[in-house]
Amino acid sequence: MKFNQFLPLVAALVLGSSCAPLEGVHLPIAQQAGSQLHKRFDNSTASFAKTANLQFDIDGASKYYPGTNSYWISFMTNDADVDSTFATLQENGLKILRIWGFNDVNEKPQEGTVYFQSFAGSEPVINTGADGLERLDYVVKSAEKHGIKLIINFVNNWTDYGGMAAYMKFFGGAQSADASNNSAWYTSTEAQAQYKKYIEAVVSRFKTSPTVLAWELANEPRCKGCDTSVIFNWASETSKYVKSLDPNHLVTLGDEGFGLEGDGSYPYTYGEGVDFVKNLGIKELDFGTFHLYPKSWGVSNDWGNGWVESHGAACAAAGKPCLFEEYGTETDHCTVEQPWQKTAINTKAIAGDLFWQLGVDTSTGKTHDDGNTIYTNSEDWKCLVDNHGEAIAQRNGA
Ligand SMILES: *[C@@H]1O[C@H](CO)[C@@H](O)[C@H](O)[C@H]1NC(C)=O
Ligand SMILES: *[C@@H]1O[C@H](CO)[C@@H](O)[C@H](O)[C@H]1NC(C)=O
Ligand SMILES: *[C@@H]1O[C@H](CO)[C@@H](O)[C@H](O)[C@H]1NC(C)=O
C-alpha cells in the first residue's frame, strides 16, 4: 500500500494551503484517497524559493524536502505522460524534480526527436520550436500545476545529450577531438559565448515562474588534471551572469561535491579540478550540491554516510544549505540507499535529497532502467519514497 497512516501528512505537504480538508487528518484513510490527493496545487499561492536557516524555503515552508531526478521528462513528446509523471510526484510528496534543460546535438536528429540546440550547421541554432524548447515549456507548465519545484540544468559534462563535447566539436580547438577532456570548454571564448546565449534563451522563458527552484550551471562539471581555479572562475562568471538575467531564482553548480577535507579517498581529492568548499564560497551560488556513487568511485557503500556528513559540515560552515542531489546504486537499492537517506535527514545543512532516478509507467512503457531506477509501485519505492517520506515528516515535526 502506497499510503498508510502517514497519508494525512503527505496530503498536507502536497496540498499546501489549498488543503481545506486537513481536518481530514482523523478520517479513515479510505476516505482520504483519490480526489483530494488529485486536487490541483493552487499555483497562485506559489512564490520564488529562497534559502533560510540552512534549508530551502519553498512557498513559505522552510524544512527538509525530498525529490528525485528525471533527465528524460524534458524529451517526452506526449503531454499526458508529462502530466501523469508530475501527478505521481505530487501524490507522493516528492517536491523537487531535477531535469535536463539541455539537449545538444551535432547532427540534426530525425523529425519528431527532441533537441534544444544544434551545432549541425554553420552557426549554432537554439531550437525554440515544437520539438525544441516548447517541450520544456510544457514541463514547466505541468510542474506549476502540480506544485513541483524544478532544478533546470544548462549543460552536461558527459556526452549524453551532447554536452560540452558537442560545443567543442563545433568550435574546434586543441581538445575538440578529445571528448574525455573538457578543460578547453571552460575557457573557450566561443563556447562560453554560445553557452551564455543558450542560458539566456532558457532563463528568459521561465524567469517569472515560481516553479523553478534553481538554475544549475552544469551536470557534474569536472576538469581532470586542471587547477581548481578553472572551474571556480567559470562558475563565478556564469553564476554572476545568470543572476544578472534573473535575480529572483536560486543558482547552483551541479557538481558531484569532489574536493574537500576528508579521508583522502579519491572523491575527497582535487584531481577532477573541483574544490567543493572554494566553489561554495562563490557569492552567486545559493546552495551546494553533491552526488554519491560509491561503486563508480571505488569506495564502499558505508563510506557514503561520511560523505554526506562531510558535506553537511562544509555547508554549515559556509552558511549555505546543501542538496544531496543524486545518489544511486545498481543493486540492493533499499539496503544500500536507506542509510544514506537517514544520515541526510539527520545532518545539519543538508536541505533535501533527490534519488537517481525516477521510474514511471508511460503510454509507451516504463521509463529508462539504468539499474539505478526506482519505479513506482515497487518495494524499492515503498522503502526509499514512502518510508523516507514518513521519516522526513517526523524530522520536520509535521
Ligand atoms: C503559475 O503562476 C505564474 C505566476 O506566478 C504564472 O506565470 C503561470 O502562468 C502560472 N501557471 C499556471 C499553469 O497557471
Ligand atoms: C566529464 O569530464 C571529465 C573531465 O574532463 C572527463 O574525465 C570525463 O570523461 C567527462 N565525461 C565525458 C564523457 O565527457
Ligand atoms: C586536459 O587538458 C588540460 C589543458 O590542456 C590539461 O591541463 C589537463 O591535464 C588535461 N587533462 C587530462 C586528463 O589529460
Side-chain angles (χ1 to χ4, degrees), residues 156-160 162 164-165 178-183 186 219-226 256 271-272:
N156 208 353
N157 170 85
W158 305 90
T159 52
D160 300 309
M164 296 171 186
D178 182 4
S180 72
N181 190 335
N182 287 330
S183 70
Y186 296 100
N219 175 44
E220 304 193 333
R222 290 185 188 181
C223 190
K224 202 183 180 68
C226 307
E256 295 149 288
E272 298 289 356

mmCIF file of all heavy atoms in Angstrom, residues 156-160 162 164-165 178-183 186 219-226 256 271-272, ligand 2:
data_model
loop_
_atom_site.group_PDB
_atom_site.id
_atom_site.type_symbol
_atom_site.label_atom_id
_atom_site.label_comp_id
_atom_site.label_asym_id
_atom_site.label_seq_id
_atom_site.Cartn_x
_atom_site.Cartn_y
_atom_site.Cartn_z
ATOM 1 N N ASN A 156 25.786 19.446 -20.048
ATOM 2 C CA ASN A 156 26.319 18.213 -19.474
ATOM 3 C C ASN A 156 27.828 18.155 -19.604
ATOM 4 O O ASN A 156 28.380 18.522 -20.642
ATOM 5 C CB ASN A 156 25.712 17.001 -20.208
ATOM 6 C CG ASN A 156 25.626 15.770 -19.337
ATOM 7 O OD1 ASN A 156 26.135 15.759 -18.219
ATOM 8 N ND2 ASN A 156 24.976 14.734 -19.845
ATOM 9 N N ASN A 157 28.492 17.670 -18.553
ATOM 10 C CA ASN A 157 29.917 17.357 -18.673
ATOM 11 C C ASN A 157 30.082 16.100 -19.532
ATOM 12 O O ASN A 157 31.038 15.972 -20.296
ATOM 13 C CB ASN A 157 30.496 17.086 -17.281
ATOM 14 C CG ASN A 157 31.905 16.526 -17.321
ATOM 15 O OD1 ASN A 157 32.859 17.260 -17.398
ATOM 16 N ND2 ASN A 157 32.048 15.205 -17.295
ATOM 17 N N TRP A 158 29.128 15.216 -19.385
ATOM 18 C CA TRP A 158 29.171 13.945 -20.102
ATOM 19 C C TRP A 158 28.631 14.150 -21.510
ATOM 20 O O TRP A 158 28.013 15.166 -21.808
ATOM 21 C CB TRP A 158 28.364 12.890 -19.332
ATOM 22 C CG TRP A 158 28.856 12.786 -17.923
ATOM 23 C CD1 TRP A 158 28.403 13.500 -16.852
ATOM 24 C CD2 TRP A 158 29.932 11.996 -17.449
ATOM 25 N NE1 TRP A 158 29.128 13.176 -15.734
ATOM 26 C CE2 TRP A 158 30.068 12.257 -16.065
ATOM 27 C CE3 TRP A 158 30.791 11.062 -18.050
ATOM 28 C CZ2 TRP A 158 31.042 11.633 -15.272
ATOM 29 C CZ3 TRP A 158 31.753 10.442 -17.257
ATOM 30 C CH2 TRP A 158 31.872 10.732 -15.892
ATOM 31 N N THR A 159 28.860 13.158 -22.379
ATOM 32 C CA THR A 159 28.453 13.335 -23.769
ATOM 33 C C THR A 159 26.988 12.972 -24.004
ATOM 34 O O THR A 159 26.505 13.108 -25.129
ATOM 35 C CB THR A 159 29.353 12.514 -24.716
ATOM 36 O OG1 THR A 159 29.385 11.183 -24.238
ATOM 37 C CG2 THR A 159 30.754 13.085 -24.749
ATOM 38 N N ASP A 160 26.281 12.496 -22.970
ATOM 39 C CA ASP A 160 24.853 12.243 -23.140
ATOM 40 C C ASP A 160 24.158 13.556 -23.448
ATOM 41 O O ASP A 160 24.374 14.555 -22.769
ATOM 42 C CB ASP A 160 24.244 11.670 -21.852
ATOM 43 C CG ASP A 160 24.907 10.367 -21.454
ATOM 44 O OD1 ASP A 160 25.003 9.480 -22.307
ATOM 45 O OD2 ASP A 160 25.336 10.258 -20.290
ATOM 46 N N GLY A 162 24.706 15.465 -25.848
ATOM 47 C CA GLY A 162 25.652 16.427 -26.392
ATOM 48 C C GLY A 162 26.737 16.855 -25.434
ATOM 49 O O GLY A 162 27.867 16.402 -25.484
ATOM 50 N N MET A 164 29.368 19.309 -23.175
ATOM 51 C CA MET A 164 30.473 20.216 -23.502
ATOM 52 C C MET A 164 31.192 19.777 -24.772
ATOM 53 O O MET A 164 31.640 20.612 -25.566
ATOM 54 C CB MET A 164 31.445 20.266 -22.325
ATOM 55 C CG MET A 164 30.811 20.850 -21.063
ATOM 56 S SD MET A 164 31.878 20.667 -19.612
ATOM 57 C CE MET A 164 30.773 21.269 -18.318
ATOM 58 N N ALA A 165 31.256 18.468 -24.969
ATOM 59 C CA ALA A 165 31.945 17.949 -26.155
ATOM 60 C C ALA A 165 31.252 18.386 -27.455
ATOM 61 O O ALA A 165 31.914 18.591 -28.474
ATOM 62 C CB ALA A 165 32.033 16.427 -26.088
ATOM 63 N N ASP A 178 39.002 15.395 -28.328
ATOM 64 C CA ASP A 178 39.133 14.582 -27.120
ATOM 65 C C ASP A 178 37.970 14.844 -26.175
ATOM 66 O O ASP A 178 38.022 15.711 -25.319
ATOM 67 C CB ASP A 178 40.471 14.899 -26.439
ATOM 68 C CG ASP A 178 40.698 14.035 -25.198
ATOM 69 O OD1 ASP A 178 39.860 13.155 -24.930
ATOM 70 O OD2 ASP A 178 41.710 14.264 -24.514
ATOM 71 N N ALA A 179 36.920 14.054 -26.340
ATOM 72 C CA ALA A 179 35.715 14.246 -25.532
ATOM 73 C C ALA A 179 35.980 13.929 -24.055
ATOM 74 O O ALA A 179 35.163 14.225 -23.206
ATOM 75 C CB ALA A 179 34.591 13.378 -26.054
ATOM 76 N N SER A 180 37.114 13.320 -23.767
ATOM 77 C CA SER A 180 37.369 12.972 -22.377
ATOM 78 C C SER A 180 38.065 14.114 -21.643
ATOM 79 O O SER A 180 38.356 14.012 -20.466
ATOM 80 C CB SER A 180 38.221 11.707 -22.291
ATOM 81 O OG SER A 180 39.532 12.006 -22.693
ATOM 82 N N ASN A 181 38.364 15.200 -22.356
ATOM 83 C CA ASN A 181 38.970 16.338 -21.675
ATOM 84 C C ASN A 181 38.172 17.602 -21.981
ATOM 85 O O ASN A 181 38.243 18.150 -23.071
ATOM 86 C CB ASN A 181 40.431 16.512 -22.116
ATOM 87 C CG ASN A 181 41.156 17.517 -21.257
ATOM 88 O OD1 ASN A 181 40.529 18.398 -20.660
ATOM 89 N ND2 ASN A 181 42.479 17.409 -21.185
ATOM 90 N N ASN A 182 37.422 18.052 -20.966
ATOM 91 C CA ASN A 182 36.553 19.215 -21.157
ATOM 92 C C ASN A 182 37.237 20.530 -20.835
ATOM 93 O O ASN A 182 36.601 21.576 -20.865
ATOM 94 C CB ASN A 182 35.327 19.096 -20.239
ATOM 95 C CG ASN A 182 34.358 18.034 -20.738
ATOM 96 O OD1 ASN A 182 34.267 17.793 -21.935
ATOM 97 N ND2 ASN A 182 33.648 17.418 -19.821
ATOM 98 N N SER A 183 38.520 20.479 -20.516
ATOM 99 C CA SER A 183 39.148 21.684 -19.956
ATOM 100 C C SER A 183 39.022 22.885 -20.894
ATOM 101 O O SER A 183 38.827 24.007 -20.441
ATOM 102 C CB SER A 183 40.602 21.423 -19.612
ATOM 103 O OG SER A 183 41.334 21.283 -20.798
ATOM 104 N N TYR A 186 35.723 25.219 -20.728
ATOM 105 C CA TYR A 186 35.546 26.219 -19.669
ATOM 106 C C TYR A 186 36.200 27.550 -20.003
ATOM 107 O O TYR A 186 35.801 28.584 -19.478
ATOM 108 C CB TYR A 186 36.124 25.701 -18.339
ATOM 109 C CG TYR A 186 35.402 24.483 -17.815
ATOM 110 C CD1 TYR A 186 35.931 23.201 -17.995
ATOM 111 C CD2 TYR A 186 34.196 24.604 -17.140
ATOM 112 C CE1 TYR A 186 35.276 22.079 -17.518
ATOM 113 C CE2 TYR A 186 33.532 23.486 -16.655
ATOM 114 C CZ TYR A 186 34.072 22.227 -16.856
ATOM 115 O OH TYR A 186 33.416 21.130 -16.384
ATOM 116 N N ASN A 219 25.815 19.722 -15.367
ATOM 117 C CA ASN A 219 25.698 18.435 -14.707
ATOM 118 C C ASN A 219 27.083 17.845 -14.514
ATOM 119 O O ASN A 219 27.774 17.541 -15.487
ATOM 120 C CB ASN A 219 24.855 17.463 -15.537
ATOM 121 C CG ASN A 219 24.829 16.080 -14.893
ATOM 122 O OD1 ASN A 219 24.663 15.961 -13.671
ATOM 123 N ND2 ASN A 219 25.009 15.033 -15.686
ATOM 124 N N GLU A 220 27.484 17.735 -13.252
ATOM 125 C CA GLU A 220 28.749 17.097 -12.865
ATOM 126 C C GLU A 220 29.963 17.685 -13.581
ATOM 127 O O GLU A 220 30.742 16.965 -14.208
ATOM 128 C CB GLU A 220 28.650 15.576 -13.068
ATOM 129 C CG GLU A 220 27.469 14.989 -12.304
ATOM 130 C CD GLU A 220 27.475 13.464 -12.207
ATOM 131 O OE1 GLU A 220 28.052 12.825 -13.092
ATOM 132 O OE2 GLU A 220 26.905 12.942 -11.223
ATOM 133 N N PRO A 221 30.135 19.004 -13.512
ATOM 134 C CA PRO A 221 31.316 19.594 -14.145
ATOM 135 C C PRO A 221 32.613 19.046 -13.532
ATOM 136 O O PRO A 221 32.734 18.955 -12.316
ATOM 137 C CB PRO A 221 31.161 21.090 -13.847
ATOM 138 C CG PRO A 221 30.297 21.168 -12.635
ATOM 139 C CD PRO A 221 29.364 20.008 -12.752
ATOM 140 N N ARG A 222 33.491 18.666 -14.415
ATOM 141 C CA ARG A 222 34.814 18.188 -13.996
ATOM 142 C C ARG A 222 35.839 18.773 -14.954
ATOM 143 O O ARG A 222 35.508 19.084 -16.111
ATOM 144 C CB ARG A 222 34.926 16.667 -14.145
ATOM 145 C CG ARG A 222 34.121 15.855 -13.181
ATOM 146 C CD ARG A 222 34.478 14.394 -13.418
ATOM 147 N NE ARG A 222 33.626 13.478 -12.676
ATOM 148 C CZ ARG A 222 33.778 12.156 -12.724
ATOM 149 N NH1 ARG A 222 34.726 11.608 -13.471
ATOM 150 N NH2 ARG A 222 32.980 11.384 -12.017
ATOM 151 N N CYS A 223 37.045 18.851 -14.511
ATOM 152 C CA CYS A 223 38.140 19.267 -15.381
ATOM 153 C C CYS A 223 39.370 18.548 -14.864
ATOM 154 O O CYS A 223 40.164 19.091 -14.094
ATOM 155 C CB CYS A 223 38.291 20.792 -15.328
ATOM 156 S SG CYS A 223 39.402 21.473 -16.566
ATOM 157 N N LYS A 224 39.484 17.310 -15.268
ATOM 158 C CA LYS A 224 40.517 16.421 -14.738
ATOM 159 C C LYS A 224 41.918 16.978 -14.983
ATOM 160 O O LYS A 224 42.247 17.365 -16.092
ATOM 161 C CB LYS A 224 40.384 15.052 -15.406
ATOM 162 C CG LYS A 224 41.004 13.911 -14.641
ATOM 163 C CD LYS A 224 40.862 12.626 -15.453
ATOM 164 C CE LYS A 224 41.463 11.438 -14.760
ATOM 165 N NZ LYS A 224 40.697 11.066 -13.555
ATOM 166 N N GLY A 225 42.682 17.011 -13.931
ATOM 167 C CA GLY A 225 44.070 17.455 -14.063
ATOM 168 C C GLY A 225 44.234 18.962 -14.128
ATOM 169 O O GLY A 225 45.346 19.465 -14.222
ATOM 170 N N CYS A 226 43.096 19.692 -14.084
ATOM 171 C CA CYS A 226 43.188 21.158 -14.160
ATOM 172 C C CYS A 226 43.336 21.744 -12.761
ATOM 173 O O CYS A 226 42.902 21.155 -11.779
ATOM 174 C CB CYS A 226 41.909 21.751 -14.757
ATOM 175 S SG CYS A 226 41.428 21.037 -16.320
ATOM 176 N N GLU A 256 29.575 17.193 -8.311
ATOM 177 C CA GLU A 256 29.455 15.974 -7.509
ATOM 178 C C GLU A 256 29.918 16.151 -6.070
ATOM 179 O O GLU A 256 29.785 15.244 -5.258
ATOM 180 C CB GLU A 256 30.264 14.850 -8.169
ATOM 181 C CG GLU A 256 29.719 14.458 -9.519
ATOM 182 C CD GLU A 256 30.796 13.983 -10.478
ATOM 183 O OE1 GLU A 256 31.594 14.818 -10.966
ATOM 184 O OE2 GLU A 256 30.854 12.775 -10.733
ATOM 185 N N GLY A 271 41.621 16.107 -7.824
ATOM 186 C CA GLY A 271 42.112 15.678 -9.140
ATOM 187 C C GLY A 271 41.150 15.918 -10.292
ATOM 188 O O GLY A 271 41.569 15.996 -11.446
ATOM 189 N N GLU A 272 39.859 16.022 -9.983
ATOM 190 C CA GLU A 272 38.893 16.298 -11.062
ATOM 191 C C GLU A 272 38.708 17.801 -11.257
ATOM 192 O O GLU A 272 37.784 18.247 -11.944
ATOM 193 C CB GLU A 272 37.545 15.628 -10.772
ATOM 194 C CG GLU A 272 37.600 14.106 -10.675
ATOM 195 C CD GLU A 272 37.839 13.392 -12.020
ATOM 196 O OE1 GLU A 272 37.889 14.074 -13.064
ATOM 197 O OE2 GLU A 272 37.995 12.160 -12.008
HETATM 198 C C1 LIG B 2 33.491 14.655 -17.727
HETATM 199 O O1 LIG B 2 34.639 15.425 -17.531
HETATM 200 C C2 LIG B 2 35.830 14.754 -17.146
HETATM 201 C C3 LIG B 2 36.923 15.749 -17.070
HETATM 202 O O2 LIG B 2 37.071 16.484 -18.250
HETATM 203 C C4 LIG B 2 36.201 13.629 -18.049
HETATM 204 O O3 LIG B 2 37.242 12.871 -17.491
HETATM 205 C C5 LIG B 2 35.016 12.771 -18.285
HETATM 206 O O4 LIG B 2 35.344 11.796 -19.232
HETATM 207 C C6 LIG B 2 33.908 13.651 -18.776
HETATM 208 N N1 LIG B 2 32.892 12.849 -19.297
HETATM 209 C C7 LIG B 2 32.668 12.880 -20.602
HETATM 210 C C8 LIG B 2 32.014 11.698 -21.162
HETATM 211 O O5 LIG B 2 32.917 13.826 -21.289
#
